[in-house]
Amino acid sequence: MKPTIETLNLFKLASGDEFFLQLYKFVGKRKGKKVYIQSNLHGSEIVGNAVISQLINYLSTLNKSQLEGEIWLLPVCNPLGTNQRNHFFSSGRFNSYDGKDWNRIFWDYEKFCPNLDGFVQENIKFDSLTIQENFLRQQKQAFSKQLDRINSPSGAPLFEQYRYQLQSLSMDANYVIDIHSSSNQCIDYLFCFPGQQEDSANYFKIDYGILMDTYDGDAFDEAFMKPWLALEKKFEELGRTLNIDRESWTLELGSGMKMNPQSVTLGVKGIINYLVKKGLLKLENYALFTHKITLVSRQNIKNYYAPTGGMIQNRLPLKTPVKAGDKVYEILSFNKQGNLPEVINIYAETDGFIFDISTNYSVNQGDYVLALCNPNS
Ligand SMILES: [Zn+2]
């Protein structure tokens, strides 16, 4: 099966050059669910581009009868971020024009939904599928006002135009997967919303996940999922379980500015397994696997910041288990007081393991150095 390829105009620059998005769509023989997968929303987090490329190659080997529904893939989804540079480094986490984090700009319907209680009252008599269709229609109607605003003479800032593009491609999906990595160097993990998703998390072959106990709807995965979770909750308050078939994932595959081969393979295998589990891929003789994930809260991950300026040395590598009181790194600290340079030892506050480390070994006071995950705290 070959994908259909759509090139979408994104925006025009001062120089007259234009940016585009290029979308790959695989459409199965039979109608079914829709999956939307994007990568590289943060400019330095390129690993998902390799994952999507391998998924495109893999899906191309299947025939249409092996896919039920549609899979939409959008690699390099943020050209402005991807192309941004500071010397050797890709720095595209923030839009340099407005300072906004590219993944904190999204449109969350729950904030604009005029009357969720009214919607629930009007729809309580319907079956779950009809309720979801009605809710999606209402959400799309509200979202279309964004386009009116963009097309109005007064226009809209770039971040609103950009998010409109990504969200109009993904809003009606059943499952969205947004592939990121650390901006620094990290283990592979994912973000998981509470509820039925917690079970699905075991199909990605990833050891750790962060359970999103709080979310404000500004991130891409949150903006997709938050309105549905709010709807589900409202019905639950009335004693009805809706079983909304929608899930949203952020996969964090390894390190920034790299496409670590193990992280890429893990991503590809996990996504294929997930698509089989969710009934989109119908593969004969495929052995579906599960891998028990450990879900931790954000509070289980503690960032360590440099207590003084200097150079990091002898830092424990990623994944190293530590006990409270173990030395985790040293700062080689210089001074201008006529003294010799000194070495300052930094110790772990708790048990855990090294979850993430900074790429830069040179730190000003207060710079981020590492994160320690304590799954048992
Ligand atoms: Zn990211």
Side-chain angles (χ1 to χ4, degrees):
M1 144 178 65
K2 285 216 162 31
T4 49
I5 304 176
E6 287 177 21
T7 308
L8 312 164
N9 185 268
L10 193 53
F11 37 69
K12 189 169 187 174
L13 306 179
S15 58
D17 295 289
E18 289 181 70
F19 279 147
F20 295 86
L21 298 175
Q22 191 152 294
L23 179 70
Y24 298 81
K25 284 185 187 174
F26 289 89
V27 181
K29 204 167 187 179
R30 276 163 298 159
K31 275 195 179 314
K33 297 189 261 195
K34 173 177 163 183
V35 177
Y36 172 84
I37 304 172
Q38 70 177 23
S39 61
N40 212 175
L41 179 56
H42 284 137
S44 71
E45 303 172 12
I46 58 176
V47 60
N49 300 326
V51 173
I52 286 186
S53 162
Q54 291 193 17
L55 286 172
I56 290 171
N57 291 342
Y58 173 76
L59 293 169
S60 300
T61 67
L62 303 180
N63 59 55
K64 273 180 173 290
S65 60
Q66 289 174 295
L67 172 61
E68 193 169 309
E70 321 185 9
I71 301 171
W72 292 21
L73 302 120
L74 184 67
V76 279
C77 76
N78 180 3
L80 211 51
T82 301
N83 296 328
Q84 206 174 318
R85 293 288 179 279
N86 281 79
H87 190 210
F88 294 135
F89 299 96
S90 294
S91 52
R93 184 178 185 87
F94 302 94
N95 180 340
S96 61
Y97 178 78
D98 60 18
K100 288 184 196 296
D101 182 323
W102 285 109
N103 198 19
R104 298 292 184 276
I105 57 171
F106 291 95
W107 185 84
D108 163 20
Y109 177 52
E110 197 191 346
K111 294 189 189 115
F112 300 91
C113 183
N115 185 0
L116 189 57
D117 287 312
F119 176 87
V120 170
Q121 288 310 323
E122 278 170 27
N123 283 269
I124 193 103
K125 55 188 177 290
F126 297 128
D127 62 79
S128 173
L129 220 55
T130 311
I131 293 168
Q132 292 179 56
E133 278 167 14
N134 290 345
F135 190 64
L136 181 62
R137 190 177 317 115
Q138 190 172 299
Q139 187 174 348
K140 279 180 166 174
Q141 270 166 10
F143 186 59
S144 70
K145 295 203 179 88
Q146 292 285 301
L147 186 61
D148 297 342
R149 193 169 130 74
I150 289 164
N151 290 333
S152 69
S154 56
L158 180 130
F159 80 90
E160 289 188 20
Q161 304 194 31
Y162 176 61
R163 73 182 181 190
Y164 181 81
Q165 292 262 21
L166 295 189
Q167 291 187 274
S168 59
L169 298 175
S170 55
M171 189 169 278
D172 62 351
N174 291 84
Y175 314 123
V176 304
I177 301 175
D178 190 15
I179 309 175
H180 289 241
S181 69
S182 172
S183 294
N184 284 301
Q185 296 165 43
C186 194
I187 67 159
D188 305 310
Y189 68 102
L190 55 75
F191 285 95
C192 177
F193 287 91
Q196 60 175 22
Q197 262 196 251
E198 290 176 48
D199 177 56
S200 302
N202 294 309
Y203 290 86
F204 284 102
K205 215 183 183 181
I206 286 179
D207 293 333
Y208 289 95
I210 296 179
L211 192 62
M212 311 264 282
D213 26 29
T214 57
Y215 43 86
D216 60 15
D218 293 342
F220 183 78
D221 57 349
E222 297 172 359
F224 176 83
M225 204 59 210
K226 188 165 164 269
W228 294 105
L229 290 173
L231 181 69
E232 206 165 53
K233 193 161 168 249
K234 279 276 176 230
F235 275 91
E236 249 155 41
E237 283 165 10
L238 301 170
R240 184 163 167 202
T241 306
L242 272 192
N243 286 323
I244 290 174
D245 193 12
R246 282 183 164 76
E247 294 180 357
S248 175
W249 303 96
T250 296
L251 303 188
E252 300 276 348
L253 301 177
S255 306
M257 298 189 290
K258 276 184 190 166
M259 303 198 294
N260 184 335
Q262 296 94 313
S263 298
V264 173
T265 304
L266 190 82
V268 173
K269 286 191 170 160
I271 289 171
I272 292 172
N273 195 56
Y274 176 74
L275 296 176
V276 173
K277 163 67 182 163
K278 290 296 176 186
L280 280 107
L281 296 185
K282 306 283 183 190
L283 308 177
E284 263 177 57
N285 304 322
Y286 179 85
L288 191 71
F289 60 79
T290 57
H291 176 86
K292 184 72 191 144
I293 194 167
T294 302
L295 293 173
V296 303
S297 148
R298 281 178 204 266
Q299 289 93 295
N300 294 80
I301 295 169
K302 175 107 182 168
N303 286 351
Y304 282 60
Y305 299 97
T308 187
M311 314 299 150
I312 303 294
Q313 61 183 22
N314 293 320
R315 182 172 52 190
L316 295 178
L318 278 179
K319 296 185 186 174
T320 311
V322 295
K323 293 271 175 219
D326 286 355
K327 187 169 80 178
V328 284
Y329 72 96
E330 298 170 358
I331 298 179
L332 176 61
S333 176
F334 296 89
N335 65 81
K336 301 290 149 54
Q337 277 133 17
N339 299 324
L340 292 171
E342 63 175 330
V343 171
I344 297 159
N345 296 325
I346 310 296
Y347 301 97
E349 288 178 13
T350 61
D351 295 354
F353 67 93
I354 307 294
F355 182 79
D356 184 273
I357 54 177
S358 66
T359 292
N360 198 338
Y361 284 67
S362 166
V363 285
N364 296 323
Q365 184 174 333
D367 279 359
Y368 168 79
V369 180
L370 62 84
L372 198 142
C373 176
N374 179 8
N376 306 315
S377 70

